Amino acid sequence: EDKVVQSPLSLVVHEGDTVTLNCSYEVTNFRSLLWYKQEKKAPTFLFMLTSSGIEKKSGRLSSILDKKELSSILNITATQTGDSAIYLCAVERRGGSEKLVFGKGTKLTVNP
Amino acid sequence: GAVVSQHPSRVICKSGTSVKIECRSLDFQATTMFWYRQFPKKSLMLMATSNEGSKATYEQGVEKDKFLINHASLTLSTLTVTSAHPEDSSFYICSARDPLDRAGNTIYFGEGSWLTVV
C-alpha cells in the first residue's frame, strides 16, 4: 500500500527561525513528489520534484528530493508569521492513474 | 494560469437532503478530475476519480451511491452528497490536471467547499 509519512506533525517556532520539514514515501512506480501549503482553504502548490538531488527554490523556501532514501525535505529560512500553515507532501505515481497520495501534513506555527 | 473553480464555497443543509458541489476547469479541458475530502486537522483523502464521459472510479470504502459523481463535460464535474448526514460534514476539494501544462505544476485545486449537515 502506498504510504507518505511527514514529520514532525506539528512545529512551533519563532520568527526568523529556519525549519526543515520531512517527507518519506513508499510508492510503487514513483513519478513525482509535490509540496503544498494549506492555510484556510485549498492547498496551494509549492514545488514538484522529480529528480533526485536537484534543489528547487522559491524565495525563502527550498526543497530537495532523495530518491535513494525515498524522502524529501522542505526548508523555510527566516520564517515569518505568514508561513504558519499546514504543509502537505504528496506523491504521484507513474502510469495510468494520476492520483496523489497525501501525507498527514506538518502544522507549522510561527510566533512573532 | 489555469484555474479550477469550485462552488459553493460553503453550504449548510438539513439531514436527509442532497447537496451538489461543482468543480469547473476554467481555461483548460480536464478529462480527469479528483474529489478529496478533508476532516478537520487531517490530510486530504481521495474519494474518487471523475472521468469525463464514463463512470467515476471510487476509492475503497467510499460509497458510490452516497457520493454521486458526474463528469458530463470536459470542464465540469459534480459531486452530489445524497441523503446527507451530520457525519458527512467536511471540507470537499476537487482537483484537475491540465494536460497541456508543461511548467511542472499540472495539478490544480479548487477552492474547496465546506459542507455542514445539520
Side-chain angles (χ1 to χ4, degrees):
Chain A
E1 186 183 330
D2 296 338
K3 195 162 60 171
V4 177
V5 177
Q6 288 185 248
S7 63
L9 291 180
S10 178
L11 189 56
V12 180
V13 300
H14 290 291
E15 268 192 318
D17 288 350
T18 293
V19 297
T20 299
L21 310 183
N22 301 285
C23 177
S24 63
Y25 61 91
E26 291 177 27
V27 163
T28 52
N29 298 320
F30 172 88
R31 181 175 187 256
S32 64
L33 184 144
L34 301 99
W35 284 97
Y36 291 88
K37 177 181 182 182
Q38 186 177 26
E39 296 171 272
K40 291 183 180 175
K41 287 197 171 181
T44 54
F45 172 81
L46 295 176
F47 299 110
M48 173 187 269
L49 305 162
T50 54
S51 300
S52 207
I54 298 173
E55 185 183 50
K56 293 212 171 178
K57 288 198 75 167
S58 177
R60 295 177 293 103
L61 277 66
S62 64
S63 184
I64 195 162
L65 176 67
D66 185 339
K67 283 187 177 178
K68 189 176 174 187
E69 296 295 325
L70 304 182
S71 66
S72 172
I73 58 170
L74 174 68
N75 279 320
I76 308 175
T77 59
T79 52
Q80 301 170 359
T81 54
D83 295 327
S84 296
I86 295 174
Y87 290 84
L88 294 167
C89 171
V91 171
E92 186 183 13
R93 289 169 58 179
R94 209 177 267 288
S97 172
E98 301 167 324
K99 298 190 289 189
L100 294 181
V101 179
F102 280 88
K104 292 186 177 180
T106 294
K107 182 179 179 183
L108 174 65
T109 303
V110 182
N111 290 323
Chain B
V3 174
V4 172
S5 174
Q6 203 172 324
H7 177 81
S9 56
R10 284 187 182 274
V11 58
I12 300 172
C13 71
K14 291 185 178 180
S15 282
T17 62
S18 295
V19 60
K20 182 187 286 187
I21 301 169
E22 293 186 347
C23 180
R24 292 181 186 273
S25 56
L26 294 186
D27 55 2
F28 67 95
Q29 294 183 329
T31 54
T32 305
M33 292 185 175
F34 302 91
W35 286 97
Y36 294 86
R37 181 175 180 175
Q38 187 176 32
F39 292 101
K41 299 182 182 180
K42 300 283 185 182
S43 190
L44 296 169
M45 181 193 77
L46 179 66
M47 298 174 65
T49 303
S50 172
N51 303 298
E52 187 268 336
S54 64
K55 290 183 180 179
T57 305
Y58 289 82
E59 295 300 302
Q60 195 171 9
V62 178
E63 299 176 59
K64 55 183 74 176
D65 293 333
K66 177 153 188 70
F67 299 99
L68 298 178
I69 290 173
N70 184 281
H71 195 150
S73 78
L74 286 170
T75 59
L76 174 64
S77 175
T78 60
L79 168 68
T80 302
V81 182
T82 62
S83 188
H85 288 158
E87 56 264 33
D88 298 326
S89 299
S90 191
F91 188 53
Y92 294 87
I93 311 176
C94 69
S95 72
R97 176 185 291 275
D98 180 357
L100 301 181
D101 179 356
R102 301 198 183 280
N105 175 21
T106 56
I107 302 167
Y108 299 92
F109 284 89
E111 305 96 329
S113 299
W114 284 102
L115 169 62
T116 303
V117 184
V118 297

